[in-house]
Amino acid sequence: MLQTALDTKPSQDTKSACDIHLSAFRYMLLARVLDEKFAALYRAGGKIHGGVFLGRGQEGLSAAIGVSLQKGDVFAPLIRDAAGRLAFGETVLDSVRTYLGSAHGPMRGRDGNVHRGNVHEGLLPMISHLGAMISVVNGILLARRFQKKFGTVGAACIGDGATSTGAFHESLNQAAVEKLPLVLVIADNQYAYSTPTSRQFACDNLADKATGYGVDVQTVDGTDFSACLKVAGEAVSRARRGDGPQMIVAKLLRLCGHGEHDVADYVDPELKKSPLGRDCLKLAQDFLIQKKWLDETQLAAMKGEIIHEIEAAVAQAQREPAPDPFSEVWRALASEHLSEGNAED
Amino acid sequence: MLQTALDTKPSQDTKSACDIHLSAFRYMLLARVLDEKFAALYRAGGKIHGGVFLGRGQEGLSAAIGVSLQKGDVFAPLIRDAAGRLAFGETVLDSVRTYLGSAHGPMRGRDGNVHRGNVHEGLLPMISHLGAMISVVNGILLARRFQKKFGTVGAACIGDGATSTGAFHESLNQAAVEKLPLVLVIADNQYAYSTPTSRQFACDNLADKATGYGVDVQTVDGTDFSACLKVAGEAVSRARRGDGPQMIVAKLLRLCGHGEHDVADYVDPELKKSPLGRDCLKLAQDFLIQKKWLDETQLAAMKGEIIHEIEAAVAQAQREPAPDPFSEVWRALASEHLSEGNAED
Amino acid sequence: MSLTYLEAIREAQARALRDDPRVFIYGQDVGAFGGAFKATKNLAVEFPGRVLDSPISEDAMVGMAVGAAIEGMRPIVEMQFADFSLVGFNQIVNQAATMYWRTNVPCPITVRLPFGGTSGSGPFHSQCIEAIYAHYPGLIVLTPATVEDAYSMLLEAVALDDPVVFCEHKFLYRHLKAEKLPDEALPIGKARIAREGRDLTIVTYSAMVHEAIEAANELSSEGWEIEIVDLRSVKPLDTDTIVASVARTGKLLCVGEAWPWGGVTAEIISRVTVEGFELLDAPPQRLNAKDTPVPYHHNLWAAHRPTARSIASAARNLLSQ
Amino acid sequence: MSLTYLEAIREAQARALRDDPRVFIYGQDVGAFGGAFKATKNLAVEFPGRVLDSPISEDAMVGMAVGAAIEGMRPIVEMQFADFSLVGFNQIVNQAATMYWRTNVPCPITVRLPFGGTSGSGPFHSQCIEAIYAHYPGLIVLTPATVEDAYSMLLEAVALDDPVVFCEHKFLYRHLKAEKLPDEALPIGKARIAREGRDLTIVTYSAMVHEAIEAANELSSEGWEIEIVDLRSVKPLDTDTIVASVARTGKLLCVGEAWPWGGVTAEIISRVTVEGFELLDAPPQRLNAKDTPVPYHHNLWAAHRPTARSIASAARNLLSQ
Ligand SMILES: Cc1ncc(C[n+]2csc(CCOP(=O)(O)OP(=O)(O)O)c2C)c(N)n1
Ligand SMILES: Cc1ncc(C[n+]2csc(CCOP(=O)(O)OP(=O)(O)O)c2C)c(N)n1
Ligand SMILES: [Mg+2]
Ligand SMILES: [Mg+2]
């Protein structure tokens, strides 16, 4: 997958600003349309069991991280990172396969929706427990230090709510003590499910936490994909250079429910009207058109391609077999000889 | 107990600086001599099962917290807080009983050494898991808010090492969100067991963490009991006033092993020679004598009293019965009717 | 008016808040939002200031409840999913569960765990973890299987002086309905004969009670009469009721949705063989989930847990001995 | 040269570090200090940069080990006491234990738990928590009872492709000595007949093996020959060896130092009655610790756990049936 990713994404420095912005934009649009497809399948019912979680309004930040990373880097996305996943090299087909539970998907129907990834390609499949993936990224980076593999970085994404977890604290402190090339991206989207930040923390800005860990931090307007590209690019290069953990705090608003089951009528209308409530995709589009890096026809063409790619992926995933409980290997251990098996088998 | 405590400790404002300093000093000395007694009993062998943990070098800070609190406040001391416990009202006899496992002790031989306290008197018996007591203090303070009992505060003590626990992070953030009258005292004694702070955190000063939680903070020289009294007194009054959680970071050095089993040869000699390595008790004594608040004869008398009190307590605790496994109620539940009992009985 | 298992839990909390000023609720999104499953719907409005949204801090959530409890309150902590309680595990088993024994001060907290499997929930939103709590001394672990028990047992849990882990099954939340709330109920600690029979005893709890009943109905059409014991409480266990049933039937099948190593089914079989060995006229049998995480895909999930069909076939094997 | 159980653990780690460049050790005070129990003594000097002091962050300690493992390393995590692993419980059971099943990528970490009771250690430095780990799918849970097993099983644990919870008993650390390190050993998964006998089978593990042997010696002076099965591994369990022994003796007593609800003794009795019911000519019996936290005072501690005396009397009861 990363090969594909690489075709469409040579490493940043060799690219012009225009290319980078266009590439990021395409992943934003791809993620948005893909998310909408999942939402539609969810509403249609039957096709998707369990929840559907969208990244609407966070595509700019997420894509910025994804395009700033390179092959060989590590990425631990969270629930709102469809854009970043795609930019990092996940295929549309694998996202669709996971939601639809295809036996050919990376999780083989064993896990689903946002709990997907591919360890060999550095894309970590999140467990649900918030904050738990950061120390796993630390471990990969530590392993590389042992193995004398230098020059790669690890990025982990987290929300404002997850900053309240002990796991967040322990792992960020751990990365700082080991001076690991970790880029920790906090998407402060004003809510944790229904909980406003006022019930989540009492500091003015989550960036205020950085000094207490001894890590660098940048705050960025998460609705401005260009600003996100700049901040993400810089943070990734500093980490790569050996400056230790980098924190990014992006301010934005979740433009969807926590999941598609959630109408989110608790979101403060004032926030929706505020600059935080702007749609990063719309802003990005205006920016590119105004810069003349993209015109309406190219945009239409891009949309067309994307819709086609997604429809094709959905069609294929639907043709693929579902996991078969009878041929399924019901074994949690890699060591077959130590597996107790299942009485019921 | 607190009654006794109160006799020797009317609330602060009504006391002169001299009285406060003398009172604190007496608890420092009492704790030092008591600690030495435990160490002697430990070395003698037989009398004390398990470990012995001293507060040598931290008596000034600990006593300062204890004398700054009032009856009705809550105190969650940690392993190095013999002085604070005594100042808060724990009797010498109860400390000795717990170490010797007397059936008449507050823990009835079920728990021991530093794991002692008396919930009804606001002195929380720590569990071993570091950081775990802070949220319990939060809960007591929250309960009082529900019960409309205002004007009391809760103090929790923690070491530099324990700041790395998720529990520390979650509970401090929780206190800040609820704006609870919590005073969190961090004794940065340069080591967590054998681990130097360089392996524990990467910020310059643990006080740098406060802003990230949105709480007030004061840094203090932990070897200077007078400075500790000032800072602790102010923090407690601010919390009492309703200014929300207060953090205190005291810089000092553990002047003993982690426990009495530990010779602590890993402690950097430079640190011992540095100002951090000064003995707060010695400094306090010089301070009081130089201020003419105490003279050698008074000091000798004080020591005599203290040694007498401790010897009497040890003699009594040794005469008291050990817990009897046959009369012991082997039941973890308060609800006797739901207790499964023990097959072996 | 008819009422679901979930609504019964909501009603029980409403009544606890109404009847006892010491009660409050603390958990993620339980306030204005009414909880991820709506188990606290409108309670924040009906009881202002007594239903508090918590940060995403399970360890501190439980610790705070413990502190409030020893100061005279009766906190109810809602975990968003049982699976996330593992982050607060230490405070439950080492702080709450040891408090009374260490200090003689009761620690009346109720930790609500929305638990158990539903299709499409996957490895981290489906776990049955009653056994790891029941293993620790100092906790009461409840697993109501009916709307009535969900209501009455939750009320009794809040009234108890001990920490209670209240396992409410998400699969039953909306599936299960009752006509009205019960006026009286079996006390906690007593198991219930969910179905009378003479040929074989199935001991189970929570959602599996309903799979077992379905299996029993299927088997009765084949002429077998299965007795079903609904444990209601997995700690304490009502061994007497179980042994009495086995005395009647001579055959024991234990069914649980949890993983096969250890757990409730092992404890039951162990107790019955130790205390009622001679009552058994065939080897007792167990049926558990498979020894893997709970799968996401419906096909795998449905095969991972015991079902009416697998229960019926296990029962047939046992009956044919 | 004679060597303790603790030294064997140190030697196994030294050899693992020497033979396999992928191995490193991570834990509180394991570096220059050599660990709270000195299980890593001098290893930081002998293997520079490969024995790392961690912050007091059990959750992140395990998470980091998992990351390193899936990147090709073989981390050994030392918990300072088993009891503190509960703070890292979530990363062990939900991150490490699910990794292979979810991703097909093995997660070879070894988490060393200094566990079990010693006099004066109290409720939070004495726990036997093997059962809560064994209940979760995806983990191997080891409980060596001898110096030889401490050495060979730890080496094999590090070589395995799965997460291993290695329960090393603090009571055995210095009590137990052997003349030399073993050149060969039973593989993990196989139980050991610690003592041969014909009249009754005692199945146990870890420190209780030695209490059982003492009880057996006492009973042999009364003319009884007790067979003792040392499980070595509580997950997987070597049911065959257990059942074969019960087939010889017809009587089963399970002894564990853990709490009575659930746990190893329940799982063993349950398996034997399900698979070897007809082999039993008396009801099997269990002996566990009492259902309270582990007490601090020596008198209470000694009465809380099974001992040679209580084992012998339980065996006598069973033999007299
Ligand atoms: C430890 C833990 N507790 C609770 C949950 C349930 N949960 C899932 S997402 C979520 C809200 C997360 O909010 P935030 O971190 O701000 O991310 P966002 O959804 O806003 O992107 C919660 C509470 C969880 N996954 N893990
Ligand atoms: C969660 C947890 N992990 C590990 C331990 C073991 N332990 C007890 S004290 C200690 C060192 C504490 O250092 P610090 O917090 O600096 O306090 P100090 O001993 O210096 O006063 C450790 C690691 C513990 N008690 N709790
Ligand atoms: Mg958020
Ligand atoms: Mg310290």
Side-chain angles (χ1 to χ4, degrees):
Chain A
M1 285 194 300
L2 275 174
Q3 206 39 55
T4 340
L6 215 64
D7 303 343
T8 66
K9 174 171 72 65
S11 83
Q12 201 155 316
D13 39 3
T14 71
K15 290 178 74 177
S16 76
C18 165
D19 295 339
I20 298 171
H21 282 77
L22 277 177
S23 149
F25 177 74
R26 191 181 191 286
Y27 291 117
M28 292 170 67
L29 186 60
L30 182 58
R32 176 71 58 94
V33 180
L34 181 59
D35 270 1
E36 275 160 5
K37 183 67 188 181
F38 288 136
L41 288 168
Y42 175 83
R43 282 191 300 272
K47 295 238 184 299
I48 295 179
H49 288 264
V52 165
F53 304 90
L54 311 187
R56 191 181 180 87
Q58 304 189 194
E59 295 93 343
L61 171 67
S62 189
I65 305 303
V67 299
S68 304
L69 297 171
Q70 297 174 8
K71 186 186 173 81
D73 289 339
V74 178
F75 185 41
L78 223 72
I79 42 184
R80 318 225 177 265
D81 287 304
R85 292 168 182 270
L86 293 161
F88 188 66
E90 185 182 60
T91 62
V92 168
L93 182 57
D94 275 343
S95 327
V96 176
R97 282 167 154 167
T98 306
Y99 261 109
L100 296 183
S102 158
H104 295 177
M107 309 312 282
R108 299 164 293 164
R110 292 179 175 188
D111 209 340
N113 54 57
V114 293
H115 304 87
R116 63 182 191 265
N118 187 316
V119 173
H120 294 300
E121 286 158 2
L123 184 64
L124 296 186
M126 60 180 276
I127 69 168
S128 300
H129 299 72
L130 294 167
M133 300 312 296
I134 304 169
S135 55
V136 176
V137 174
N138 290 348
I140 295 178
L141 299 173
L142 183 75
R144 290 177 176 186
R145 178 178 297 172
F146 276 118
Q147 295 158 349
K148 307 252 180 305
K149 294 184 196 146
F150 300 108
T152 67
V153 309
C157 299
I158 204 89
D160 46 283
T163 62
S164 301
T165 63
F168 164 87
H169 172 70
E170 293 190 0
S171 52
L172 179 54
N173 180 64
Q174 177 181 59
V177 168
E178 294 294 342
K179 215 167 186 308
L180 296 171
L182 172 75
V183 178
L184 183 60
V185 183
I186 303 177
D188 180 0
N189 65 4
Q190 313 309 314
Y191 289 89
Y193 207 151
S194 75
T195 306
T197 51
S198 59
R199 291 292 304 164
Q200 198 66 244
F201 52 82
C203 56
D204 303 333
N205 177 350
L206 286 170
D208 298 345
K209 291 188 175 295
T211 334
Y213 292 94
V215 303
D216 298 337
V217 65
Q218 291 293 326
T219 306
V220 64
D221 172 357
T223 67
D224 177 347
F225 88 127
S226 186
C228 290
L229 276 168
K230 184 166 179 304
V231 166
E234 288 167 359
V236 168
S237 343
R238 274 196 304 276
R240 215 181 287 287
R241 218 166 51 207
D243 294 356
Q246 306 293 316
M247 186 192 277
I248 296 173
V249 176
K251 305 285 192 171
L252 33 63
L253 184 66
R254 198 187 68 210
L255 300 183
C256 50
H258 172 63
E260 277 310 272
H261 57 279
D262 172 24
V263 296
D265 46 17
Y266 47 77
V267 176
D268 179 351
E270 292 307 313
L271 276 175
K272 292 185 185 166
K273 282 188 251 122
S274 79
L276 285 175
R278 293 172 304 182
D279 180 349
C280 61
L281 186 66
K282 175 84 179 55
L283 294 188
Q285 185 174 313
D286 299 349
F287 174 93
L288 293 173
I289 284 169
Q290 179 253 5
K291 277 241 182 228
K292 302 226 178 339
W293 287 348
L294 182 75
D295 65 28
E296 294 295 351
T297 33
Q298 291 166 313
L299 176 60
M302 194 185 280
K303 279 200 178 126
E305 274 171 47
I306 284 173
I307 288 165
H308 177 77
E309 182 180 0
I310 291 172
E311 290 306 330
V314 171
Q316 173 169 343
Q318 289 187 340
R319 280 195 308 274
E320 292 176 349
D324 171 6
F326 300 102
S327 59
E328 175 75 9
V329 181
W330 292 103
R331 169 158 55 83
L333 292 179
S335 315
E336 184 163 9
H337 69 291
L338 295 181
S339 179
E340 295 214 305
N342 291 283
E344 303 83 82
D345 289 356
Chain B
M1 286 194 301
L2 273 173
Q3 204 40 52
T4 340
L6 214 64
D7 304 342
T8 67
K9 174 171 71 69
S11 86
Q12 203 157 313
D13 38 4
T14 71
K15 289 178 75 178
S16 75
C18 166
D19 294 340
I20 298 171
H21 282 75
L22 278 176
S23 148
F25 176 74
R26 190 178 191 288
Y27 290 117
M28 292 169 67
L29 187 61
L30 182 58
R32 176 70 59 94
V33 179
L34 181 59
D35 269 1
E36 275 159 5
K37 183 68 188 181
F38 288 135
L41 288 168
Y42 175 83
R43 282 191 300 273
K47 294 236 184 303
I48 295 179
H49 288 263
V52 165
F53 304 90
L54 311 186
R56 189 180 182 89
Q58 304 189 194
E59 294 93 343
L61 171 66
S62 189
I65 305 303
V67 299
S68 304
L69 296 171
Q70 297 174 5
K71 187 185 174 85
D73 288 340
V74 178
F75 185 40
L78 222 71
I79 42 184
R80 317 227 177 264
D81 286 306
R85 292 168 181 271
L86 293 161
F88 188 66
E90 185 183 60
T91 61
V92 169
L93 182 58
D94 275 342
S95 328
V96 176
R97 282 167 156 166
T98 307
Y99 261 109
L100 297 183
S102 158
H104 295 177
M107 310 312 282
R108 299 163 294 164
R110 292 180 175 188
D111 209 340
N113 55 58
V114 293
H115 304 86
R116 62 181 192 265
N118 186 316
V119 172
H120 294 301
E121 286 158 2
L123 184 64
L124 295 186
M126 60 181 275
I127 69 168
S128 300
H129 299 72
L130 294 168
M133 300 312 296
I134 304 169
S135 54
V136 177
V137 174
N138 291 347
I140 295 177
L141 299 173
L142 183 75
R144 290 175 176 185
R145 177 179 297 171
F146 276 119
Q147 296 159 349
K148 309 248 178 309
K149 294 184 197 148
F150 300 108
T152 66
V153 309
C157 299
I158 205 86
D160 47 284
T163 63
S164 300
T165 61
F168 164 88
H169 173 71
E170 292 191 1
S171 52
L172 178 54
N173 181 63
Q174 177 181 58
V177 168
E178 294 294 341
K179 215 169 187 306
L180 297 171
L182 172 75
V183 178
L184 183 60
V185 184
I186 302 178
D188 181 359
N189 64 5
Q190 313 309 314
Y191 289 89
Y193 207 148
S194 76
T195 306
T197 52
S198 59
R199 292 290 305 163
Q200 198 68 243
F201 53 81
C203 56
D204 303 333
N205 176 351
L206 286 170
D208 297 345
K209 292 188 175 294
T211 336
Y213 293 93
V215 303
D216 299 336
V217 65
Q218 292 293 326
T219 305
V220 63
D221 172 357
T223 67
D224 177 347
F225 89 126
S226 186
C228 290
L229 275 168
K230 184 167 179 305
V231 166
E234 288 167 0
V236 167
S237 350
R238 274 196 305 276
R240 216 181 285 288
R241 222 168 48 211
D243 294 357
Q246 307 291 317
M247 185 192 278
I248 296 172
V249 176
K251 305 286 192 171
L252 33 62
L253 184 66
R254 196 188 69 208
L255 299 183
C256 50
H258 172 64
E260 277 309 273
H261 58 279
D262 172 23
V263 297
D265 46 17
Y266 47 78
V267 175
D268 178 353
E270 291 308 313
L271 276 174
K272 293 184 186 167
K273 283 189 248 117
S274 79
L276 285 176
R278 292 173 304 181
D279 180 349
C280 60
L281 187 65
K282 175 83 178 56
L283 294 188
Q285 187 174 314
D286 299 349
F287 174 94
L288 293 172
I289 284 170
Q290 180 253 5
K291 276 241 182 225
K292 303 226 174 348
W293 287 349
L294 182 74
D295 64 27
E296 294 295 350
T297 32
Q298 290 166 316
L299 177 59
M302 194 186 278
K303 279 204 178 123
E305 271 172 50
I306 283 173
I307 289 166
H308 177 78
E309 181 180 2
I310 290 171
E311 290 305 329
V314 172
Q316 173 170 343
Q318 289 188 341
R319 279 195 309 274
E320 291 176 349
D324 171 5
F326 300 101
S327 58
E328 174 76 10
V329 180
W330 292 103
R331 170 157 54 83
L333 293 179
S335 315
E336 187 164 5
H337 69 291
L338 295 181
S339 179
E340 296 215 304
N342 292 283
E344 303 82 84
D345 290 358
Chain C
M1 143 274 204
S2 117
L3 174 110
T4 65
Y5 182 97
L6 180 61
E7 288 161 340
I9 287 165
R10 190 253 174 222
E11 290 312 310
Q13 294 182 97
R15 176 157 164 200
L17 284 161
R18 199 177 307 115
D19 297 352
D20 188 342
R22 301 170 304 174
V23 174
F24 72 97
I25 302 177
Y26 190 52
Q28 294 148 24
D29 306 293
V30 296
F33 187 63
F37 294 98
K38 294 284 171 269
T40 57
K41 190 175 178 186
N42 288 331
L43 295 180
V45 179
E46 289 175 41
F47 304 95
R50 293 173 65 192
V51 186
L52 308 180
D53 286 330
S54 74
I56 305 175
S57 304
E58 283 77 9
D59 183 281
M61 283 160 61
V62 177
M64 177 174 274
V66 169
I70 61 178
E71 192 68 9
M73 303 296 287
R74 296 262 158 174
I76 299 172
V77 173
E78 175 179 297
M79 293 288 167
Q80 201 153 73
F81 283 80
D83 315 54
F84 304 132
S85 72
L86 297 177
V87 180
F89 191 68
N90 185 60
Q91 292 280 21
I92 297 174
V93 301
N94 280 322
Q95 190 83 264
T98 65
M99 182 64 74
Y100 174 74
W101 184 83
R102 292 175 71 232
T103 66
N104 221 24
V105 175
C107 182
I109 72 171
T110 301
V111 183
R112 290 182 39 238
L113 304 188
F115 90 119
T118 54
S119 180
S121 295
F124 311 112
H125 292 75
S126 305
Q127 294 176 12
C128 295
I129 52 179
E130 57 282 359
I132 62 174
Y133 287 110
H135 185 57
Y136 263 85
L139 297 172
I140 291 169
V141 183
L142 306 179
T143 53
T146 68
V147 176
E148 293 79 358
D149 277 349
Y151 178 79
S152 59
M153 289 171 76
L154 181 50
L155 271 176
E156 191 178 349
V158 174
L160 284 175
D161 279 341
D162 289 295
V164 176
V165 174
F166 192 82
C167 304
E168 42 192 64
H169 204 298
K170 301 188 296 293
F171 186 81
L172 304 180
Y173 269 169
R174 294 178 181 81
H175 281 49
L176 226 54
K177 288 196 173 54
E179 275 325 300
K180 56 186 266 308
L181 291 173
D183 323 309
E184 53 182 24
L186 274 180
I188 283 173
K190 291 261 158 284
R192 177 179 71 100
I193 304 293
R195 185 185 196 285
E196 298 200 342
R198 58 165 190 276
D199 300 320
L200 176 145
T201 298
I202 295 179
V203 176
T204 187
Y205 57 103
S206 193
M208 286 297 130
V209 169
H210 305 282
E211 299 291 331
I213 289 172
E214 201 180 316
N217 295 339
E218 188 179 322
L219 290 162
S220 74
S221 66
E222 299 167 25
W224 299 110
E225 284 316 320
I226 309 299
E227 181 147 298
I228 296 173
V229 177
D230 169 8
L231 292 171
R232 304 176 71 244
S233 157
V234 301
K235 189 172 187 182
L237 270 175
D238 181 0
T239 315
D240 297 350
T241 300
I242 298 164
V243 170
S245 174
V246 173
R248 285 190 290 277
T249 65
K251 292 193 163 64
L252 172 63
L253 172 63
C254 290
V255 179
E257 190 183 330
W259 293 300
W261 196 104
V264 175
T265 58
E267 182 62 21
I268 300 277
I269 291 188
S270 175
R271 290 193 189 196
V272 171
T273 45
V274 168
E275 299 178 31
F277 188 67
E278 61 296 327
L279 303 173
L280 290 161
D281 45 53
Q285 298 298 325
R286 297 162 78 179
L287 198 52
N288 299 301
K290 296 192 192 295
D291 197 24
T292 72
V294 184
Y296 164 79
H297 192 283
H298 180 81
N299 297 357
L300 298 180
W301 173 74
H304 182 267
R305 67 199 272 269
T307 57
R309 279 191 53 247
S310 62
I311 295 170
S313 79
R316 276 191 206 92
N317 291 343
L318 190 46
L319 287 161
S320 67
Q321 290 183 26
Chain D
M1 145 272 205
S2 115
L3 174 111
T4 64
Y5 183 95
L6 180 61
E7 288 162 340
I9 287 166
R10 190 251 173 224
E11 289 313 310
Q13 294 181 99
R15 177 158 163 198
L17 285 160
R18 199 177 307 115
D19 296 354
D20 188 342
R22 301 170 303 172
V23 174
F24 71 97
I25 303 176
Y26 190 52
Q28 294 148 25
D29 307 293
V30 296
F33 188 61
F37 294 98
K38 295 283 171 268
T40 58
K41 190 175 178 187
N42 289 329
L43 294 180
V45 180
E46 289 175 41
F47 304 95
R50 293 173 65 191
V51 186
L52 307 181
D53 286 329
S54 74
I56 305 175
S57 305
E58 283 76 8
D59 183 281
M61 282 160 62
V62 177
M64 175 171 283
V66 168
I70 61 178
E71 191 67 8
M73 303 296 287
R74 296 261 157 173
I76 299 172
V77 173
E78 175 180 297
M79 292 288 169
Q80 202 153 73
F81 283 80
D83 315 54
F84 304 133
S85 72
L86 298 177
V87 180
F89 191 67
N90 185 60
Q91 292 281 19
I92 298 174
V93 301
N94 280 323
Q95 190 84 264
T98 65
M99 182 63 74
Y100 174 74
W101 184 83
R102 292 174 71 231
T103 67
N104 222 23
V105 175
C107 182
I109 73 171
T110 301
V111 183
R112 289 182 41 239
L113 304 187
F115 90 119
T118 53
S119 180
S121 294
F124 310 113
H125 292 75
S126 305
Q127 294 176 11
C128 295
I129 51 179
E130 57 281 1
I132 61 173
Y133 288 110
H135 186 56
Y136 263 84
L139 297 172
I140 291 169
V141 183
L142 305 180
T143 53
T146 67
V147 175
E148 293 79 359
D149 277 348
Y151 178 78
S152 59
M153 290 171 75
L154 182 48
L155 270 177
E156 191 178 349
V158 174
L160 285 174
D161 280 342
D162 290 294
V164 177
V165 175
F166 192 83
C167 305
E168 43 192 65
H169 205 298
K170 299 188 297 293
F171 186 80
L172 303 180
Y173 269 170
R174 292 177 183 82
H175 280 48
L176 225 53
K177 288 195 174 54
E179 274 326 299
K180 54 185 264 311
L181 292 172
D183 323 308
E184 52 182 24
L186 276 178
I188 283 172
K190 289 264 158 285
R192 177 180 69 100
I193 304 293
R195 186 185 195 283
E196 298 199 341
R198 57 166 191 276
D199 300 320
L200 175 145
T201 297
I202 295 179
V203 176
T204 186
Y205 57 102
S206 193
M208 286 296 131
V209 168
H210 305 281
E211 299 291 331
I213 289 172
E214 201 181 316
N217 295 340
E218 189 179 321
L219 289 162
S220 72
S221 67
E222 300 166 23
W224 299 110
E225 284 315 321
I226 309 299
E227 181 148 297
I228 297 173
V229 177
D230 169 8
L231 291 172
R232 302 177 71 245
S233 156
V234 302
K235 189 173 188 182
L237 270 175
D238 182 0
T239 316
D240 296 350
T241 300
I242 298 164
V243 170
S245 175
V246 173
R248 285 190 289 276
T249 64
K251 291 193 162 68
L252 172 63
L253 171 63
C254 289
V255 180
E257 190 183 331
W259 293 300
W261 196 104
V264 176
T265 58
E267 182 62 20
I268 300 278
I269 291 187
S270 175
R271 289 194 190 195
V272 171
T273 45
V274 168
E275 297 177 35
F277 188 67
E278 61 297 327
L279 303 173
L280 291 159
D281 44 54
Q285 298 297 326
R286 297 162 78 180
L287 198 51
N288 298 301
K290 295 190 193 296
D291 197 23
T292 72
V294 184
Y296 165 78
H297 192 283
H298 179 80
N299 297 357
L300 298 180
W301 173 73
H304 182 267
R305 70 200 269 268
T307 58
R309 280 190 53 245
S310 62
I311 294 169
S313 78
R316 277 191 206 92
N317 291 342
L318 190 43
L319 287 161
S320 65
Q321 289 183 23

